[in-house]
Amino acid sequence: MTYGIILAAGIGERFKKTPIKPLFLIKGKPLFLYTVDTFLDSQRIDKILLVINQKFKKQFQGYLASPKYRSILICDGDQRARWKSLIKAMDYLSSHCVLKPNDIIVSHDAARINLTTKIINDNILVTNKYGYASTVLPLHDSIMEFKDQALYLERTHKYIVQTPQTFQYKFWKKHQIKVETDVTDLFTYLKLKINQSNLVTGNLLNFKITTIEDLQLI
């Protein structure tokens, strides 16, 4: 089985719009629903779990009233940190589903609404083969570190980390993760070696909506 986790519990403090970011309407459609629809379009996802802010549960449920969304599971997340929402999501799946060691978990930020089914499917293929996968983009811009003076950093072999980030359930179950981490750091915590084989190529459009300027780009 392959489970898609969509993290939509954040309120978007830097977003500075109402309602909360996942419920913000883009062309008449709430932001979170773009990601939900993409997961539904992927024939490789068996179950979808939407992680929400419980205070806005009725609003989320209202948008999911269509029979199209009947199979979607919902659980409460944490508006303060993605890693806390991920832990709650995994606790929910462990309690409500019969998870097997090689079952695949595909975790994605709802705010990356330009996700494609190709990226999802590539994550699943890599995870089937290597146990875990991280979506990345090669870094093309010049980057600079500035403390006392400017220092330009070598960009070769450096990547921008996106989502989805994907792993087999056995890695989570083995370590009972309860530490502050996102999934990429989780691989480091588990002492799982990430190499070129674990990388899935994302795309520039798969960026996270964080500010008003990002809305203009969308």
Side-chain angles (χ1 to χ4, degrees):
M1 290 280 286
T2 299
Y3 298 86
I5 294 178
I6 300 174
L7 302 170
I11 60 175
E13 292 181 350
R14 290 170 289 180
F15 192 62
K16 297 180 181 178
K17 283 276 190 179
T18 56
I20 60 170
K21 184 166 66 173
L23 295 173
F24 186 81
L25 297 181
I26 298 177
K27 294 187 176 181
K29 181 175 176 178
L31 182 151
F32 83 93
L33 213 50
Y34 284 90
T35 301
V36 169
D37 285 341
T38 303
F39 269 75
L40 284 174
D41 288 341
S42 172
Q43 297 180 355
R44 294 179 180 272
I45 299 290
D46 300 303
K47 274 287 183 186
I48 297 172
L49 174 62
L50 179 66
V51 187
I52 66 168
N53 185 323
Q54 195 70 16
K55 294 179 182 178
F56 300 89
K57 185 175 181 179
K58 288 185 178 179
Q59 291 93 317
F60 279 99
Q61 288 179 325
Y63 287 118
L64 297 172
S66 167
K68 175 182 179 181
Y69 304 116
R70 188 175 298 147
S71 63
I72 293 176
L73 305 172
I74 298 178
C75 79
D76 185 26
D78 191 300
Q79 70 180 45
R80 297 165 297 174
R82 186 177 73 160
W83 65 272
K84 290 183 178 180
S85 287
L86 180 60
I87 287 173
K88 286 190 173 186
M90 292 304 300
D91 287 345
Y92 180 93
L93 287 180
S94 299
S95 300
H96 293 78
C97 304
V98 181
L99 297 177
K100 298 180 180 178
N102 289 336
D103 283 348
I104 291 175
I105 312 297
V106 183
S107 173
H108 185 69
D109 289 332
R112 295 180 185 271
I113 70 171
N114 286 330
L115 175 68
T116 65
T117 55
K118 182 181 186 306
I119 293 175
I120 293 175
N121 296 341
D122 287 350
N123 265 264
I124 294 169
L125 288 172
V126 169
T127 301
N128 263 324
K129 190 170 184 179
Y130 298 106
Y132 45 95
S134 187
T135 306
V136 300
L137 272 182
L139 183 63
H140 296 302
D141 291 336
S142 296
I143 55 174
M144 179 179 68
E145 179 181 64
F146 189 86
K147 293 181 181 178
D148 296 326
Q149 61 181 8
L151 174 65
Y152 281 90
L153 304 179
E154 172 58 50
R155 64 190 174 200
T156 306
H157 305 306
K158 291 183 175 62
Y159 297 86
I160 299 168
V161 179
Q162 300 185 332
T163 64
Q165 295 167 334
T166 308
F167 54 93
Q168 291 178 346
Y169 174 61
K170 60 188 175 187
F171 298 118
W172 185 277
K173 184 178 180 182
K174 179 180 178 182
H175 292 270
Q176 297 294 309
I177 305 306
K178 299 294 178 185
V179 297
E180 181 171 345
T181 179
D182 67 17
V183 181
T184 302
D185 288 336
L186 171 66
F187 299 154
T188 303
Y189 177 79
L190 298 179
K191 299 180 180 178
L192 301 177
K193 183 179 179 181
I194 297 179
N195 56 40
Q196 200 72 32
S197 300
N198 301 107
L199 302 183
V200 171
T201 302
N203 62 51
L204 287 172
L205 296 180
N206 184 36
F207 64 88
K208 184 178 180 181
I209 299 176
T210 304
T211 66
I212 301 304
E213 288 76 14
D214 294 330
L215 274 182
Q216 295 172 340
L217 289 174
I218 289 293

